């Protein structure tokens, strides 16, 4: 069964069509990745799924419900959380306060303490720095905090927009391992990533997006050996 099913999605910015009738299906408990050059429309797809951008045409079904036109806060309640490009933390708030905000829309009485401990199990450094301001963290630690905040919403589907952007190679490896661990918990993931090698290596399914259209779909591992992908996105 597909957790997310998108059919003939079209999105405009003004008169310009930036997403040109794409279709994609994401099975529960898997990682799907969107790769492509800057301006291909990858982030716009995520923003449309999370309700930040309204589609012009097409259907988006999440867990059997049509979510076209839903406001972002209702989409979060439904079980979709996004980690935006650039993290967008609250820099003067503490690590703990940022994490607690991730659970803001959850129903009262839900066990957020258990989920907080689960986040800390993924990111032990955050537990060590609970009382520090988010601005005082390194880039890698801020990315961990952004992911942890999204996990506090208890999502069924996690949207990750450029999680490795600006990180050192060792931290990129760590982030990819964390993404795989999150999937093992049963959380479905859509990953948008400039580091195509990292993304395809951990993805169950890959979509290649070029100027708003999907031009290739295959298993992540298979796309690693695709000649077009190797030349365009993997440095030959």
């Amino acid at each position: 069964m597909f957790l997310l099913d998108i059919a003939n999605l079209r999105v405009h910015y003004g008169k310009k069509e930036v997403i040109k009738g794409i279709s994609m299906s994401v099975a529960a408990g898997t990682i799907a990745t969107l790769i492509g050059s800057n301006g291909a429309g990858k982030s716009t797809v995520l923003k449309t799924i999370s309700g930040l951008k309204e589609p012009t045409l097409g259907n988006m079904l999440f867990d059997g419900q049509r979510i076209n036109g839903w406001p972002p806060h209702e989409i979060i309640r439904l079980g979709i959380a996004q980690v935006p490009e650039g993290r967008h933390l609250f820099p003067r708030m503490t690590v703990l306060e940022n994490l607690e905000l991730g659970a803001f829309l959850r129903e009262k009485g839900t066990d957020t303490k258990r989920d907080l401990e689960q986040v800390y199990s993924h990111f032990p450094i955050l537990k060590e720095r609970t009382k520090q301001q988010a601005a005082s963290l390194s880039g890698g630690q801020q990315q961990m905090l952004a992911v942890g905040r999204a996990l506090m919403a208890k999502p069924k589907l996690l949207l990750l927009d450029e999680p490795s952007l600006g990180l050192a190679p060792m931290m990129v490896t760590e982030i990819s391992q964390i993404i795989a661990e999150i999937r093992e918990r049963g959380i479905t993931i859509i990953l948008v990533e400039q580091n195509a090698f990292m993304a395809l290596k951990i993805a169950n399914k890959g979509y290649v997006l070029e100027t708003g259209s999907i031009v290739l779909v295959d298993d992540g591992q298979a796309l690693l050996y695709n000649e077009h992908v190797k030349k365009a996105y993997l440095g030959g």
Side-chain angles (χ1 to χ4, degrees), residues 67-99:
I67 59 172
N68 293 49
W70 283 39
H73 66 279
E74 291 296 341
I75 285 179
I76 292 172
R77 281 201 178 103
L78 193 61
I80 300 174
Q82 181 170 349
V83 181
E85 181 183 349
R87 302 158 197 147
H88 293 279
L89 299 170
F90 294 92
R92 295 181 182 176
M93 297 177 72
T94 67
V95 167
L96 179 59
E97 288 168 339
N98 271 275
L99 290 173

Side-chain angles (χ1 to χ4, degrees), residues 20-204:
K20 303 172 183 178
I22 71 166
S23 297
M24 57 186 292
S25 300
V26 183
T30 65
I31 298 175
T33 187
L34 281 168
I35 65 169
S37 59
N38 286 332
K42 305 184 300 297
S43 293
T44 299
V45 173
L46 296 193
K47 288 176 182 177
T48 306
I49 294 168
S50 60
L52 297 170
K53 191 83 182 80
E54 192 163 346
T56 310
L57 288 171
N59 267 323
M60 298 188 297
L61 296 178
F62 176 72
D63 213 6
Q65 286 188 273
R66 189 174 185 270
I67 59 172
N68 293 49
W70 283 39
H73 66 279
E74 291 296 341
I75 285 179
I76 292 172
R77 281 201 178 103
L78 193 61
I80 300 174
Q82 181 170 349
V83 181
E85 181 183 349
R87 302 158 197 147
H88 293 279
L89 299 170
F90 294 92
R92 295 181 182 176
M93 297 177 72
T94 67
V95 167
L96 179 59
E97 288 168 339
N98 271 275
L99 290 173
E100 288 175 336
L101 277 175
F104 182 74
L105 289 176
R106 287 173 56 174
E107 292 182 11
K108 291 181 179 179
T110 54
D111 191 359
T112 56
K113 288 184 179 180
R114 182 180 62 185
D115 295 316
L116 184 61
E117 286 305 316
Q118 202 160 37
V119 168
Y120 285 151
S121 72
H122 280 301
F123 310 109
I125 191 68
L126 297 184
K127 189 168 187 178
E128 293 176 22
R129 308 206 170 182
T130 300
K131 296 180 181 179
Q132 283 187 220
Q133 287 187 342
S136 70
L137 302 178
S138 69
Q141 291 162 3
Q142 288 186 15
Q143 188 62 64
M144 291 177 185
L145 180 54
V147 175
R149 181 180 61 184
L151 291 176
M152 287 298 293
K154 213 171 179 63
K156 298 176 186 175
L157 174 63
L158 183 64
L159 310 177
L160 295 173
D161 196 352
E162 302 287 6
S164 77
L165 189 65
L167 301 184
M170 283 184 63
M171 185 54 66
V172 172
T173 300
E174 189 170 349
I175 289 292
S176 70
Q177 291 170 346
I178 289 164
I179 293 170
E181 288 172 9
I182 292 169
R183 188 263 310 273
E184 288 171 9
R185 283 176 47 191
I187 297 173
T188 307
I189 296 168
I190 299 179
L191 172 63
V192 161
E193 182 56 65
Q194 282 291 331
N195 187 330
F197 181 80
M198 181 270 272
L200 293 172
K201 194 174 179 182
I202 62 173
N204 301 98

